[in-house]
Amino acid sequence: MTACDQSTGVVLASIDVDGKTNEITRFQPLLEQISDLRDTVITADALHCQREHVTYLAQRGAHWILTVKGNQPHLHAQLTALPWRAVPDATCDTDRGHGRREIRSCKILTISTGIDFPYAAQAIQIRRRRRRLDQPKRFTTETVYAITNLRVHQAKPAQLAAWTRGHWSIENKVHWVRDVTYDEDRSQIHTANGPEVMAALRNAAIGALRLTGVTNIAAANRHHARDSTRPLALLGIT
């Protein structure tokens, strides 16, 4: 389990999740590895939409944006029942890629009453309409809800939308790279602290490359493998 900087793709902290526990219990120990969270905006999977988590983040002086799904059915029902039809889009943008077109719209409501979740200040509705470019008349629509403790004066709608979307970039920048480029799932190292050590080394390698502006980790690995002095230069070792 990792904490990753959205803007750089660099892993800031990591922790193991063994068979005796789950990610929820590892949330606080993971973030304890980061010395200062004041005014940091934390995004997390819907699994971590937990009261104890936001209480902990409040104690650390951090802000948060959390997706709300079926693991919080009461809260999800409260969010879907808000008067979204009367709310205009706060942001709307279009993206093309991978043979499809996606239209994303974001609506935001200030929370006064009716939402039973500590520190919640605003509710967010994000709608994604996608269509394949070879099937222009067929759309799929997905609606996602989120909550945040950030108030209107602390973040503009476009920034809230960017942070929410940016959370999923972690999958492409870290998890996908480790699974595909480094073939982590087929690693033969399974005992003691071996898997955790290797994960930390892979994270460090990805982070070092990302900080130099690399976007294609596989190509960068091939480049550095051709000359043993290149990795040393990357790390500032001469």
PDB file of all heavy atoms in Angstrom, residues 71-98:
ATOM      1  N   ASN A  71     -19.623   0.817   0.054  1.00  0.00           N
ATOM      2  CA  ASN A  71     -19.195   0.449   1.401  1.00  0.00           C
ATOM      3  C   ASN A  71     -19.737   1.417   2.452  1.00  0.00           C
ATOM      4  O   ASN A  71     -19.661   1.143   3.646  1.00  0.00           O
ATOM      5  CB  ASN A  71     -17.667   0.399   1.486  1.00  0.00           C
ATOM      6  CG  ASN A  71     -17.025   1.749   1.214  1.00  0.00           C
ATOM      7  OD1 ASN A  71     -17.343   2.408   0.218  1.00  0.00           O
ATOM      8  ND2 ASN A  71     -16.119   2.167   2.075  1.00  0.00           N
ATOM      9  N   GLN A  72     -20.269   2.560   1.994  1.00  0.00           N
ATOM     10  CA  GLN A  72     -20.947   3.519   2.877  1.00  0.00           C
ATOM     11  C   GLN A  72     -22.351   3.758   2.316  1.00  0.00           C
ATOM     12  O   GLN A  72     -22.658   4.834   1.785  1.00  0.00           O
ATOM     13  CB  GLN A  72     -20.161   4.834   2.943  1.00  0.00           C
ATOM     14  CG  GLN A  72     -18.814   4.746   3.628  1.00  0.00           C
ATOM     15  CD  GLN A  72     -18.943   4.706   5.145  1.00  0.00           C
ATOM     16  OE1 GLN A  72     -20.038   4.823   5.691  1.00  0.00           O
ATOM     17  NE2 GLN A  72     -17.821   4.530   5.834  1.00  0.00           N
ATOM     18  N   PRO A  73     -23.245   2.765   2.415  1.00  0.00           N
ATOM     19  CA  PRO A  73     -24.550   2.871   1.741  1.00  0.00           C
ATOM     20  C   PRO A  73     -25.404   4.033   2.236  1.00  0.00           C
ATOM     21  O   PRO A  73     -26.093   4.681   1.438  1.00  0.00           O
ATOM     22  CB  PRO A  73     -25.216   1.519   2.041  1.00  0.00           C
ATOM     23  CG  PRO A  73     -24.490   0.980   3.238  1.00  0.00           C
ATOM     24  CD  PRO A  73     -23.091   1.486   3.125  1.00  0.00           C
ATOM     25  N   HIS A  74     -25.382   4.308   3.546  1.00  0.00           N
ATOM     26  CA  HIS A  74     -26.198   5.403   4.085  1.00  0.00           C
ATOM     27  C   HIS A  74     -25.698   6.739   3.567  1.00  0.00           C
ATOM     28  O   HIS A  74     -26.490   7.587   3.108  1.00  0.00           O
ATOM     29  CB  HIS A  74     -26.164   5.370   5.610  1.00  0.00           C
ATOM     30  CG  HIS A  74     -26.990   6.438   6.259  1.00  0.00           C
ATOM     31  ND1 HIS A  74     -28.358   6.537   6.100  1.00  0.00           N
ATOM     32  CD2 HIS A  74     -26.626   7.475   7.076  1.00  0.00           C
ATOM     33  CE1 HIS A  74     -28.808   7.580   6.780  1.00  0.00           C
ATOM     34  NE2 HIS A  74     -27.782   8.169   7.368  1.00  0.00           N
ATOM     35  N   LEU A  75     -24.414   6.946   3.608  1.00  0.00           N
ATOM     36  CA  LEU A  75     -23.828   8.190   3.118  1.00  0.00           C
ATOM     37  C   LEU A  75     -24.038   8.324   1.616  1.00  0.00           C
ATOM     38  O   LEU A  75     -24.366   9.409   1.118  1.00  0.00           O
ATOM     39  CB  LEU A  75     -22.337   8.222   3.452  1.00  0.00           C
ATOM     40  CG  LEU A  75     -21.543   9.442   2.955  1.00  0.00           C
ATOM     41  CD1 LEU A  75     -22.111  10.727   3.533  1.00  0.00           C
ATOM     42  CD2 LEU A  75     -20.059   9.294   3.310  1.00  0.00           C
ATOM     43  N   HIS A  76     -23.869   7.232   0.883  1.00  0.00           N
ATOM     44  CA  HIS A  76     -24.076   7.267  -0.570  1.00  0.00           C
ATOM     45  C   HIS A  76     -25.519   7.657  -0.898  1.00  0.00           C
ATOM     46  O   HIS A  76     -25.762   8.467  -1.825  1.00  0.00           O
ATOM     47  CB  HIS A  76     -23.737   5.908  -1.181  1.00  0.00           C
ATOM     48  CG  HIS A  76     -23.724   5.891  -2.672  1.00  0.00           C
ATOM     49  ND1 HIS A  76     -24.851   5.570  -3.419  1.00  0.00           N
ATOM     50  CD2 HIS A  76     -22.751   6.176  -3.581  1.00  0.00           C
ATOM     51  CE1 HIS A  76     -24.565   5.646  -4.700  1.00  0.00           C
ATOM     52  NE2 HIS A  76     -23.306   6.022  -4.832  1.00  0.00           N
ATOM     53  N   ALA A  77     -26.462   7.108  -0.159  1.00  0.00           N
ATOM     54  CA  ALA A  77     -27.873   7.445  -0.383  1.00  0.00           C
ATOM     55  C   ALA A  77     -28.142   8.926  -0.096  1.00  0.00           C
ATOM     56  O   ALA A  77     -28.916   9.584  -0.803  1.00  0.00           O
ATOM     57  CB  ALA A  77     -28.766   6.561   0.480  1.00  0.00           C
ATOM     58  N   GLN A  78     -27.508   9.453   0.949  1.00  0.00           N
ATOM     59  CA  GLN A  78     -27.668  10.870   1.266  1.00  0.00           C
ATOM     60  C   GLN A  78     -27.137  11.755   0.139  1.00  0.00           C
ATOM     61  O   GLN A  78     -27.746  12.772  -0.215  1.00  0.00           O
ATOM     62  CB  GLN A  78     -26.946  11.197   2.571  1.00  0.00           C
ATOM     63  CG  GLN A  78     -27.599  10.614   3.808  1.00  0.00           C
ATOM     64  CD  GLN A  78     -26.813  10.937   5.072  1.00  0.00           C
ATOM     65  OE1 GLN A  78     -25.586  11.042   5.047  1.00  0.00           O
ATOM     66  NE2 GLN A  78     -27.518  11.087   6.183  1.00  0.00           N
ATOM     67  N   LEU A  79     -26.018  11.374  -0.426  1.00  0.00           N
ATOM     68  CA  LEU A  79     -25.426  12.172  -1.500  1.00  0.00           C
ATOM     69  C   LEU A  79     -26.264  12.111  -2.771  1.00  0.00           C
ATOM     70  O   LEU A  79     -26.471  13.134  -3.438  1.00  0.00           O
ATOM     71  CB  LEU A  79     -24.007  11.681  -1.790  1.00  0.00           C
ATOM     72  CG  LEU A  79     -22.965  11.946  -0.702  1.00  0.00           C
ATOM     73  CD1 LEU A  79     -21.633  11.300  -1.063  1.00  0.00           C
ATOM     74  CD2 LEU A  79     -22.773  13.442  -0.473  1.00  0.00           C
ATOM     75  N   THR A  80     -26.754  10.933  -3.125  1.00  0.00           N
ATOM     76  CA  THR A  80     -27.558  10.815  -4.343  1.00  0.00           C
ATOM     77  C   THR A  80     -28.884  11.561  -4.207  1.00  0.00           C
ATOM     78  O   THR A  80     -29.452  11.982  -5.218  1.00  0.00           O
ATOM     79  CB  THR A  80     -27.842   9.343  -4.685  1.00  0.00           C
ATOM     80  OG1 THR A  80     -28.514   8.723  -3.581  1.00  0.00           O
ATOM     81  CG2 THR A  80     -26.546   8.591  -4.949  1.00  0.00           C
ATOM     82  N   ALA A  81     -29.358  11.747  -2.967  1.00  0.00           N
ATOM     83  CA  ALA A  81     -30.648  12.415  -2.749  1.00  0.00           C
ATOM     84  C   ALA A  81     -30.549  13.936  -2.779  1.00  0.00           C
ATOM     85  O   ALA A  81     -31.577  14.631  -2.735  1.00  0.00           O
ATOM     86  CB  ALA A  81     -31.236  11.964  -1.409  1.00  0.00           C
ATOM     87  N   LEU A  82     -29.346  14.483  -2.852  1.00  0.00           N
ATOM     88  CA  LEU A  82     -29.199  15.940  -2.906  1.00  0.00           C
ATOM     89  C   LEU A  82     -29.780  16.484  -4.224  1.00  0.00           C
ATOM     90  O   LEU A  82     -29.848  15.760  -5.226  1.00  0.00           O
ATOM     91  CB  LEU A  82     -27.716  16.313  -2.791  1.00  0.00           C
ATOM     92  CG  LEU A  82     -27.058  16.043  -1.437  1.00  0.00           C
ATOM     93  CD1 LEU A  82     -25.558  16.307  -1.501  1.00  0.00           C
ATOM     94  CD2 LEU A  82     -27.693  16.896  -0.342  1.00  0.00           C
ATOM     95  N   PRO A  83     -30.210  17.752  -4.248  1.00  0.00           N
ATOM     96  CA  PRO A  83     -30.906  18.310  -5.427  1.00  0.00           C
ATOM     97  C   PRO A  83     -29.957  18.629  -6.591  1.00  0.00           C
ATOM     98  O   PRO A  83     -29.811  19.782  -7.004  1.00  0.00           O
ATOM     99  CB  PRO A  83     -31.551  19.581  -4.863  1.00  0.00           C
ATOM    100  CG  PRO A  83     -30.638  20.009  -3.761  1.00  0.00           C
ATOM    101  CD  PRO A  83     -30.148  18.719  -3.129  1.00  0.00           C
ATOM    102  N   TRP A  84     -29.335  17.588  -7.133  1.00  0.00           N
ATOM    103  CA  TRP A  84     -28.339  17.801  -8.181  1.00  0.00           C
ATOM    104  C   TRP A  84     -28.928  18.378  -9.465  1.00  0.00           C
ATOM    105  O   TRP A  84     -28.254  19.099 -10.195  1.00  0.00           O
ATOM    106  CB  TRP A  84     -27.627  16.482  -8.495  1.00  0.00           C
ATOM    107  CG  TRP A  84     -26.818  15.958  -7.350  1.00  0.00           C
ATOM    108  CD1 TRP A  84     -27.087  14.867  -6.585  1.00  0.00           C
ATOM    109  CD2 TRP A  84     -25.605  16.523  -6.826  1.00  0.00           C
ATOM    110  NE1 TRP A  84     -26.128  14.699  -5.622  1.00  0.00           N
ATOM    111  CE2 TRP A  84     -25.198  15.704  -5.745  1.00  0.00           C
ATOM    112  CE3 TRP A  84     -24.825  17.631  -7.161  1.00  0.00           C
ATOM    113  CZ2 TRP A  84     -24.056  15.956  -4.999  1.00  0.00           C
ATOM    114  CZ3 TRP A  84     -23.686  17.893  -6.433  1.00  0.00           C
ATOM    115  CH2 TRP A  84     -23.302  17.072  -5.365  1.00  0.00           C
ATOM    116  N   ARG A  85     -30.198  18.067  -9.765  1.00  0.00           N
ATOM    117  CA  ARG A  85     -30.811  18.579 -10.998  1.00  0.00           C
ATOM    118  C   ARG A  85     -30.851  20.101 -11.029  1.00  0.00           C
ATOM    119  O   ARG A  85     -30.821  20.719 -12.092  1.00  0.00           O
ATOM    120  CB  ARG A  85     -32.229  18.022 -11.150  1.00  0.00           C
ATOM    121  CG  ARG A  85     -32.276  16.538 -11.468  1.00  0.00           C
ATOM    122  CD  ARG A  85     -33.699  16.057 -11.637  1.00  0.00           C
ATOM    123  NE  ARG A  85     -33.768  14.635 -11.948  1.00  0.00           N
ATOM    124  CZ  ARG A  85     -33.694  14.131 -13.177  1.00  0.00           C
ATOM    125  NH1 ARG A  85     -33.557  14.958 -14.202  1.00  0.00           N
ATOM    126  NH2 ARG A  85     -33.756  12.829 -13.377  1.00  0.00           N
ATOM    127  N   ALA A  86     -30.915  20.699  -9.860  1.00  0.00           N
ATOM    128  CA  ALA A  86     -30.993  22.162  -9.787  1.00  0.00           C
ATOM    129  C   ALA A  86     -29.614  22.823  -9.779  1.00  0.00           C
ATOM    130  O   ALA A  86     -29.510  24.050  -9.739  1.00  0.00           O
ATOM    131  CB  ALA A  86     -31.772  22.570  -8.538  1.00  0.00           C
ATOM    132  N   VAL A  87     -28.561  22.006  -9.799  1.00  0.00           N
ATOM    133  CA  VAL A  87     -27.198  22.536  -9.693  1.00  0.00           C
ATOM    134  C   VAL A  87     -26.551  22.568 -11.080  1.00  0.00           C
ATOM    135  O   VAL A  87     -26.512  21.547 -11.772  1.00  0.00           O
ATOM    136  CB  VAL A  87     -26.349  21.657  -8.749  1.00  0.00           C
ATOM    137  CG1 VAL A  87     -24.933  22.202  -8.630  1.00  0.00           C
ATOM    138  CG2 VAL A  87     -27.013  21.583  -7.380  1.00  0.00           C
ATOM    139  N   PRO A  88     -26.047  23.709 -11.518  1.00  0.00           N
ATOM    140  CA  PRO A  88     -25.356  23.766 -12.813  1.00  0.00           C
ATOM    141  C   PRO A  88     -23.981  23.109 -12.729  1.00  0.00           C
ATOM    142  O   PRO A  88     -23.414  22.964 -11.647  1.00  0.00           O
ATOM    143  CB  PRO A  88     -25.230  25.274 -13.074  1.00  0.00           C
ATOM    144  CG  PRO A  88     -25.198  25.876 -11.699  1.00  0.00           C
ATOM    145  CD  PRO A  88     -26.094  25.026 -10.843  1.00  0.00           C
ATOM    146  N   ASP A  89     -23.463  22.728 -13.878  1.00  0.00           N
ATOM    147  CA  ASP A  89     -22.114  22.167 -13.920  1.00  0.00           C
ATOM    148  C   ASP A  89     -21.099  23.218 -13.474  1.00  0.00           C
ATOM    149  O   ASP A  89     -21.114  24.352 -13.949  1.00  0.00           O
ATOM    150  CB  ASP A  89     -21.761  21.711 -15.336  1.00  0.00           C
ATOM    151  CG  ASP A  89     -22.530  20.476 -15.760  1.00  0.00           C
ATOM    152  OD1 ASP A  89     -23.058  19.781 -14.873  1.00  0.00           O
ATOM    153  OD2 ASP A  89     -22.613  20.213 -16.977  1.00  0.00           O
ATOM    154  N   ALA A  90     -20.215  22.819 -12.564  1.00  0.00           N
ATOM    155  CA  ALA A  90     -19.150  23.729 -12.135  1.00  0.00           C
ATOM    156  C   ALA A  90     -17.974  23.661 -13.106  1.00  0.00           C
ATOM    157  O   ALA A  90     -17.296  24.662 -13.352  1.00  0.00           O
ATOM    158  CB  ALA A  90     -18.683  23.373 -10.728  1.00  0.00           C
ATOM    159  N   THR A  91     -17.723  22.480 -13.655  1.00  0.00           N
ATOM    160  CA  THR A  91     -16.681  22.303 -14.674  1.00  0.00           C
ATOM    161  C   THR A  91     -17.175  21.281 -15.684  1.00  0.00           C
ATOM    162  O   THR A  91     -18.007  20.418 -15.365  1.00  0.00           O
ATOM    163  CB  THR A  91     -15.353  21.804 -14.076  1.00  0.00           C
ATOM    164  OG1 THR A  91     -15.534  20.471 -13.566  1.00  0.00           O
ATOM    165  CG2 THR A  91     -14.864  22.714 -12.971  1.00  0.00           C
ATOM    166  N   CYS A  92     -16.634  21.353 -16.887  1.00  0.00           N
ATOM    167  CA  CYS A  92     -16.944  20.374 -17.916  1.00  0.00           C
ATOM    168  C   CYS A  92     -15.779  20.343 -18.903  1.00  0.00           C
ATOM    169  O   CYS A  92     -15.325  21.402 -19.357  1.00  0.00           O
ATOM    170  CB  CYS A  92     -18.242  20.725 -18.641  1.00  0.00           C
ATOM    171  SG  CYS A  92     -18.791  19.443 -19.809  1.00  0.00           S
ATOM    172  N   ASP A  93     -15.266  19.173 -19.179  1.00  0.00           N
ATOM    173  CA  ASP A  93     -14.166  19.074 -20.142  1.00  0.00           C
ATOM    174  C   ASP A  93     -14.290  17.790 -20.950  1.00  0.00           C
ATOM    175  O   ASP A  93     -14.990  16.856 -20.550  1.00  0.00           O
ATOM    176  CB  ASP A  93     -12.808  19.144 -19.441  1.00  0.00           C
ATOM    177  CG  ASP A  93     -12.614  18.004 -18.467  1.00  0.00           C
ATOM    178  OD1 ASP A  93     -12.986  18.156 -17.279  1.00  0.00           O
ATOM    179  OD2 ASP A  93     -12.088  16.966 -18.883  1.00  0.00           O
ATOM    180  N   THR A  94     -13.622  17.774 -22.077  1.00  0.00           N
ATOM    181  CA  THR A  94     -13.679  16.648 -23.010  1.00  0.00           C
ATOM    182  C   THR A  94     -12.281  16.129 -23.274  1.00  0.00           C
ATOM    183  O   THR A  94     -11.333  16.902 -23.380  1.00  0.00           O
ATOM    184  CB  THR A  94     -14.324  17.088 -24.334  1.00  0.00           C
ATOM    185  OG1 THR A  94     -15.641  17.610 -24.076  1.00  0.00           O
ATOM    186  CG2 THR A  94     -14.448  15.911 -25.293  1.00  0.00           C
ATOM    187  N   ASP A  95     -12.173  14.821 -23.364  1.00  0.00           N
ATOM    188  CA  ASP A  95     -10.873  14.198 -23.600  1.00  0.00           C
ATOM    189  C   ASP A  95     -11.034  13.119 -24.659  1.00  0.00           C
ATOM    190  O   ASP A  95     -12.047  12.423 -24.709  1.00  0.00           O
ATOM    191  CB  ASP A  95     -10.346  13.597 -22.289  1.00  0.00           C
ATOM    192  CG  ASP A  95      -8.906  13.126 -22.413  1.00  0.00           C
ATOM    193  OD1 ASP A  95      -8.190  13.657 -23.276  1.00  0.00           O
ATOM    194  OD2 ASP A  95      -8.506  12.232 -21.655  1.00  0.00           O
ATOM    195  N   ARG A  96     -10.023  13.000 -25.517  1.00  0.00           N
ATOM    196  CA  ARG A  96      -9.991  11.954 -26.534  1.00  0.00           C
ATOM    197  C   ARG A  96      -8.732  11.122 -26.352  1.00  0.00           C
ATOM    198  O   ARG A  96      -7.669  11.651 -26.075  1.00  0.00           O
ATOM    199  CB  ARG A  96      -9.998  12.548 -27.944  1.00  0.00           C
ATOM    200  CG  ARG A  96     -11.307  13.180 -28.370  1.00  0.00           C
ATOM    201  CD  ARG A  96     -11.152  13.862 -29.720  1.00  0.00           C
ATOM    202  NE  ARG A  96     -12.386  14.487 -30.161  1.00  0.00           N
ATOM    203  CZ  ARG A  96     -13.265  13.943 -30.993  1.00  0.00           C
ATOM    204  NH1 ARG A  96     -13.016  12.726 -31.483  1.00  0.00           N
ATOM    205  NH2 ARG A  96     -14.352  14.573 -31.346  1.00  0.00           N
ATOM    206  N   GLY A  97      -8.888   9.832 -26.527  1.00  0.00           N
ATOM    207  CA  GLY A  97      -7.734   8.956 -26.417  1.00  0.00           C
ATOM    208  C   GLY A  97      -8.160   7.510 -26.343  1.00  0.00           C
ATOM    209  O   GLY A  97      -9.291   7.207 -25.930  1.00  0.00           O
ATOM    210  N   HIS A  98      -7.268   6.606 -26.761  1.00  0.00           N
ATOM    211  CA  HIS A  98      -7.543   5.167 -26.738  1.00  0.00           C
ATOM    212  C   HIS A  98      -8.808   4.823 -27.513  1.00  0.00           C
ATOM    213  O   HIS A  98      -9.570   3.922 -27.123  1.00  0.00           O
ATOM    214  CB  HIS A  98      -7.652   4.662 -25.291  1.00  0.00           C
ATOM    215  CG  HIS A  98      -6.453   4.982 -24.453  1.00  0.00           C
ATOM    216  ND1 HIS A  98      -5.236   4.359 -24.612  1.00  0.00           N
ATOM    217  CD2 HIS A  98      -6.283   5.901 -23.453  1.00  0.00           C
ATOM    218  CE1 HIS A  98      -4.374   4.854 -23.740  1.00  0.00           C
ATOM    219  NE2 HIS A  98      -4.971   5.796 -23.035  1.00  0.00           N
TER     220      HIS A  98
END
